[in-house]
Amino acid sequence: MANRVSSSKLFFLQSLLQCPFHNHHHQHHQLARLLSSTPSSTIAVFDEKPEPTITKLVIAAADSQSSSSSILDFNDVQKLFSPVPTAKLLRSVLNLHMAAFDPIVDTGLLVMRSKLIEMPFVRNIILTVIKHTFYEHFVAGKDLDETGRNVQKLWDAGLKGVLVYGSGYAHDNESCDRSLEKFLEAVESTKSLPPSSVSFIAVKISAICPLGLLGGVSKLLRWQKKDPSFNLPWKVNTLPLFSDSSPLYHTLQKPELLTREEESDLESGHQRLLKLCERCAELNVPLLIDAEGTFVQPAIDYLTYSSAIIYNSKDDRKSNPIVFGTIQAYLKDAKERLLLASKAAEKMGVTMAVKLVRGAHMSSERKLAAKLGFESPIHNTIQETHACYNDCASFMLDKVADGSAAVVLATHNVESGRLAAKKARDLGIGKENERFHFAQLYGMSEALSFALKDAGFQVSKYLIYGPVEEVMPFLLRRAEENKGLLSSSTLDRQLMGKELKRRLKTGLGV
């Protein structure tokens, strides 16, 4: 998936810079100018866009390798797509072709960002078109009832679901409380679904703790990394948040301490997360905490790890971890931070549980660093990102095998999937191990999802849900991400088309 940052994200980051925590005027204006000049783009959830040569290699590998020589079999399309009805297969091919056709996507994005969308008549037409195309393809339902029906379909097909409420950023306690209720509703909905059919509940910390506060807390945590004597009276026990190579340029001057009101708001945000963790623990549904931009990620990791210390304790060997953080492998310090956090967790008797992704916000992160005169925190090449992802995956699989960790490999990259699947099989990690999952977005990488499932692994689909108006930003991101013609979506279109032709010939008796 392309690593870009959406216009809505830029808007919220600009708002973040205007909050009371950001009182360093020179840095403030530099960041504001950078963000206002960054072109509108997208946020990726899992993967970066591979280079064209990699795309060709993947397709060639899928065509040439037999099931006996590869752990993932893409040759038997009848078996691969057997759970998918022909009508859905056809709609999927059409939607993926449209998403890959630049003029259609560019025109749609232009209209969505123009004043035309403010006209009720035009808006209704556009929303109707989107609802019956991209919305039905990439969104699991308008509410939990519809989404639950799709969870059942996935379960029948041998897959699981990750419930993802399409929340926005919170800027006050009221919006945080509303988001928490939505997340709790998702947790409660699992009681009416087949046991284990929902593998995780996904949550954004920026939806239950004000975005500006997360930015201020991140500044304070960075300064403490620079100056260990810097006291943060509100700070509780956590795992390492930084490595020696972690970028600290977001905080160039000593920040002011939190006010009493801000400390209270931080405590409220932490209590919301703990309340969510507690209910997840009671219903045995783990929580995936998404990563966000480096500007606020230290605070997100702080809240995540402090909660994991409570809910991922190894005291009860029979229980699985509840709190999963996220490591973004496109960051240069990703592997070192993962190693440090894992080592500390092991010493504390805590199960290290993470979702591993390639990352998001690549363009904005690089531009921000360049504007401030610092080296980019992102790997210089896509090959370095692939290598980091695969190394981190290998490290975590070793930890899963010895019982000290749990991992969700969220990837649309076929080669990463193949390497991880082979190592997992060599280590004796299979479907019966609840501490190892693969994950892909709903509506994307169907061939990879089914191939991993057929190879004997637990596979989940990220199921975002909500009314079409509320998930519009998500749909815009999905449309733009597909413009890159990712190896996985190219493979899907190729293999789905092949299966459609086979079914047509069978139906005609040819």
Side-chain angles (χ1 to χ4, degrees):
M1 241 173 276
N3 294 284
R4 312 169 195 166
V5 66
S6 68
S7 56
S8 59
K9 169 71 90 172
L10 297 179
F11 171 78
F12 284 116
L13 285 178
Q14 286 172 314
S15 301
L16 175 62
L17 289 168
Q18 297 169 5
C19 75
F21 306 110
H22 304 279
N23 50 13
H24 314 307
H25 298 295
H26 178 65
Q27 184 184 4
H28 170 103
H29 291 308
Q30 281 183 311
L31 290 169
R33 284 198 301 271
L34 171 65
L35 294 176
S36 62
S37 64
T38 302
S40 172
S41 190
T42 70
I43 302 171
V45 178
F46 294 143
D47 288 324
E48 293 179 347
K49 180 174 67 176
E51 294 181 347
T53 53
I54 295 176
T55 300
K56 293 175 183 176
L57 286 172
V58 169
I59 296 174
D63 284 337
S64 63
Q65 289 182 328
S66 67
S67 58
S68 61
S69 63
S70 173
I71 192 170
L72 302 182
D73 182 11
F74 295 103
N75 292 300
D76 189 348
V77 291
Q78 181 177 1
K79 177 185 177 183
L80 199 63
F81 296 111
S82 60
V84 185
T86 300
K88 182 174 181 179
L89 203 61
L90 180 59
R91 285 197 304 271
S92 296
V93 171
L94 292 175
N95 281 321
L96 289 174
H97 271 286
M98 283 195 297
F101 188 54
D102 285 357
I104 291 179
V105 176
D106 291 339
T107 301
L109 294 173
L110 182 64
V111 172
M112 289 301 301
R113 292 180 176 130
S114 71
K115 291 186 177 181
L116 287 173
I117 197 65
E118 298 175 6
M119 300 171 61
F121 177 72
V122 175
R123 182 178 179 82
N124 288 337
I125 292 176
I126 292 174
L127 291 181
T128 299
V129 172
I130 290 176
K131 178 175 175 57
H132 294 291
T133 52
F134 295 125
Y135 179 88
E136 291 182 351
H137 184 81
F138 293 115
V139 180
K142 69 177 185 296
D143 53 30
L144 283 168
D145 288 337
E146 279 193 4
T147 305
R149 289 193 285 273
N150 274 315
V151 170
Q152 181 67 61
K153 292 177 182 178
L154 288 174
W155 182 246
D156 293 340
L159 304 176
K160 297 186 177 185
V162 178
L163 297 183
V164 188
Y165 167 59
S167 58
Y169 297 98
H171 295 283
D172 53 46
N173 286 317
E174 289 74 18
S175 56
C176 289
D177 289 337
R178 288 194 297 271
S179 293
L180 175 61
E181 289 306 311
K182 291 292 187 179
F183 291 130
L184 287 171
E185 287 174 7
V187 179
E188 295 299 323
S189 74
T190 63
K191 294 189 296 184
S192 62
L193 295 169
S196 301
S197 61
V198 173
S199 51
F200 299 92
I201 303 294
V203 61
K204 286 197 319 184
I205 295 295
S206 60
I208 58 174
C209 190
L211 188 64
L213 180 59
L214 292 173
V217 170
S218 294
K219 280 179 172 286
L220 292 165
L221 292 168
R222 286 190 205 95
W223 196 260
Q224 189 181 61
K225 171 63 178 176
K226 291 181 178 182
D227 178 9
S229 67
F230 186 55
N231 183 42
L232 300 176
W234 43 264
K235 189 178 179 184
V236 297
N237 203 13
T238 187
L239 301 178
L241 306 175
F242 305 99
S243 72
D244 290 340
S245 62
S246 293
L248 303 175
Y249 53 76
H250 309 76
T251 308
L252 300 177
Q253 300 178 36
K254 184 177 180 179
E256 294 181 1
L257 293 174
L258 299 181
T259 65
R260 288 185 179 180
E261 181 181 357
E262 291 159 356
E263 284 193 31
S264 177
D265 288 345
L266 178 60
E267 175 62 19
S268 295
H270 198 180
Q271 288 303 315
R272 291 186 192 97
L273 178 57
L274 292 176
K275 183 176 181 179
L276 190 56
C277 292
E278 182 65 24
R279 192 57 180 144
C280 284
E282 291 171 353
L283 296 181
N284 195 29
V285 183
L287 191 67
L288 287 180
I289 298 177
D290 288 334
E292 304 186 42
T294 57
F295 197 65
V296 294
Q297 192 60 41
I300 291 170
D301 285 341
Y302 163 71
L303 292 171
T304 300
Y305 290 153
S306 61
S307 301
I309 289 172
I310 299 172
Y311 287 96
N312 292 6
S313 172
K314 293 181 181 177
D315 291 341
D316 183 359
R317 290 285 178 174
K318 294 181 180 179
S319 66
N320 288 315
I322 293 298
V323 182
F324 285 67
T326 298
I327 295 291
Q328 300 179 96
Y330 77 162
L331 294 172
K332 293 175 181 176
D333 69 338
K335 185 176 179 180
E336 190 177 358
R337 283 190 294 110
L338 177 61
L339 295 176
L340 289 171
S342 298
K343 185 176 181 179
E346 190 167 352
K347 287 184 178 180
M348 297 171 67
V350 173
T351 298
M352 186 66 183
V354 300
K355 177 182 69 173
L356 183 61
V357 303
R358 276 173 169 75
H361 329 306
M362 182 172 69
S363 177
S364 64
E365 296 281 14
R366 283 177 169 166
K367 289 185 177 182
L368 174 58
K371 189 70 175 182
L372 295 176
F374 290 88
E375 181 182 344
S376 170
I378 308 296
H379 287 299
N380 296 328
T381 67
I382 187 66
Q383 288 84 3
E384 290 176 352
T385 293
H386 289 328
C388 182
Y389 186 95
N390 294 334
D391 285 349
C392 289
S394 179
F395 170 79
M396 288 303 296
L397 284 170
D398 284 333
K399 293 295 183 180
V400 171
D402 68 24
S404 64
V407 67
V408 177
L409 298 182
T411 183
H412 298 144
N413 184 282
V414 174
E415 181 63 9
S416 289
R418 184 188 68 80
L419 290 172
K422 184 179 185 304
K423 172 147 190 175
R425 180 172 288 181
D426 291 344
L427 292 171
I429 302 172
K431 184 173 289 188
E432 72 287 345
N433 194 323
E434 292 292 336
R435 296 190 173 197
F436 176 50
H437 292 252
F438 285 101
Q440 289 82 40
L441 287 169
Y442 182 73
M444 293 193 66
S445 298
E446 303 295 82
L448 179 59
S449 296
F450 285 123
L452 288 167
K453 183 265 295 183
D454 292 341
F457 298 101
Q458 297 205 50
V459 182
S460 298
K461 303 295 282 189
Y462 251 62
L463 304 176
I464 191 166
Y465 63 91
V468 62
E469 299 89 349
E470 293 183 14
V471 298
M472 187 67 69
F474 172 85
L475 294 174
L476 290 174
R477 294 198 293 270
R478 291 291 79 74
E480 287 185 315
E481 285 161 8
N482 275 279
K483 286 174 63 179
L485 208 60
L486 308 178
S487 64
S488 54
S489 60
T490 302
L491 189 63
D492 271 356
R493 292 188 296 119
Q494 182 189 54
L495 297 181
M496 285 179 176
K498 186 177 180 181
E499 171 59 6
L500 281 173
K501 290 178 183 178
R502 188 200 66 79
R503 293 184 187 185
L504 178 62
K505 289 181 179 179
T506 300
L508 294 175
V510 178

